[in-house]
Amino acid sequence: MDIPGSLRDRKKAATRQSLHEAALRLAMERGLDGVTVEDIADAVGVSRRTFSNYFANKEDAVLHADRERTRELVSLVEGRPAGEGPWPALRAASRELNRAGGTPDREWVAQLRLLRRHPSLLARQAGDQITLERDLAAVLVARGPELDEGTARLMAATFLAALRTGAVLWLESADERPLPELVDDLLGRVHFG
């Protein structure tokens, strides 16, 4: 039986992270089509079978950090104080998540966005966004009976649109503000009530 935080768990997490980082680096260097699962496994010094214990395919390995970040976001919204309204809870969770993640490098993010335009990644990303929207809406509804399912879904979708808009504006503009500050500004412009 594994104990959370055990040496075994930490080694597994480190292997998963190494595979993700290798997949991302190789895909950014060669393009997604120029990378195989074997290339990723070789870069980390593990077998193809070991890779398969962690990820179903190279696309899942590339998107691993995004999926971890979305799980963390949902968890942060769940952990907000009970008396806090739904939109303030989303905004505070975004601030907390961004504070923990630091400010990304613009060039790296631009390269990553190009990579993510690959058709096999786009389909997975769209599915991930739908799941995240649904999960956030469920958390918002669970926070209080005053919020119906439709409003919660609209709120979650608006929240995610503001995050995407902030990232695009940050990449495409001369705005020198850090990305988290820009996103928080956009979230502050939205009012539900």
Side-chain angles (χ1 to χ4, degrees), residues 110-191:
Q111 290 174 344
L112 188 58
R113 286 179 60 83
L114 285 174
L115 170 65
R116 289 182 179 168
R117 290 185 180 144
H118 193 280
S120 65
L121 289 176
L122 285 173
R124 283 180 170 76
Q125 288 175 316
D128 289 351
Q129 285 293 304
I130 290 167
T131 300
L132 177 57
E133 181 182 309
R134 185 190 64 232
D135 292 349
L136 284 172
V139 168
L140 295 175
V141 167
R143 291 179 56 81
E146 71 281 351
L147 195 63
D148 64 271
E149 174 80 19
T151 304
R153 287 296 286 262
L154 177 62
M155 194 175 287
T158 303
F159 173 73
L160 294 174
L163 297 183
R164 284 189 304 274
T165 301
V168 169
L169 288 172
W170 182 75
L171 277 174
E172 295 177 353
S173 75
D175 194 324
E176 292 301 318
R177 290 183 292 173
L179 176 59
E181 187 179 318
L182 177 59
V183 167
D184 192 56
D185 177 50
L186 291 172
L187 292 171
R189 297 179 192 189
V190 179
H191 301 282

Side-chain angles (χ1 to χ4, degrees), residues 55-154:
F55 299 108
N57 50 51
K58 63 186 176 184
E59 290 84 1
D60 286 345
V62 167
L63 294 174
H64 170 69
D66 289 349
R67 290 173 175 168
E68 288 299 305
R69 195 166 160 84
T70 61
R71 277 192 276 281
E72 178 67 14
L73 178 60
V74 171
S75 176
L76 288 169
V77 174
E78 284 176 323
R80 297 301 306 161
E84 188 173 48
W87 190 257
L90 287 168
R91 191 172 176 195
S94 172
R95 276 191 219 112
E96 194 172 336
L97 185 67
N98 285 325
R99 196 171 24 255
T103 302
D105 174 78
R106 284 182 197 261
E107 184 177 325
W108 182 83
V109 172
Q111 290 174 344
L112 188 58
R113 286 179 60 83
L114 285 174
L115 170 65
R116 289 182 179 168
R117 290 185 180 144
H118 193 280
S120 65
L121 289 176
L122 285 173
R124 283 180 170 76
Q125 288 175 316
D128 289 351
Q129 285 293 304
I130 290 167
T131 300
L132 177 57
E133 181 182 309
R134 185 190 64 232
D135 292 349
L136 284 172
V139 168
L140 295 175
V141 167
R143 291 179 56 81
E146 71 281 351
L147 195 63
D148 64 271
E149 174 80 19
T151 304
R153 287 296 286 262
L154 177 62

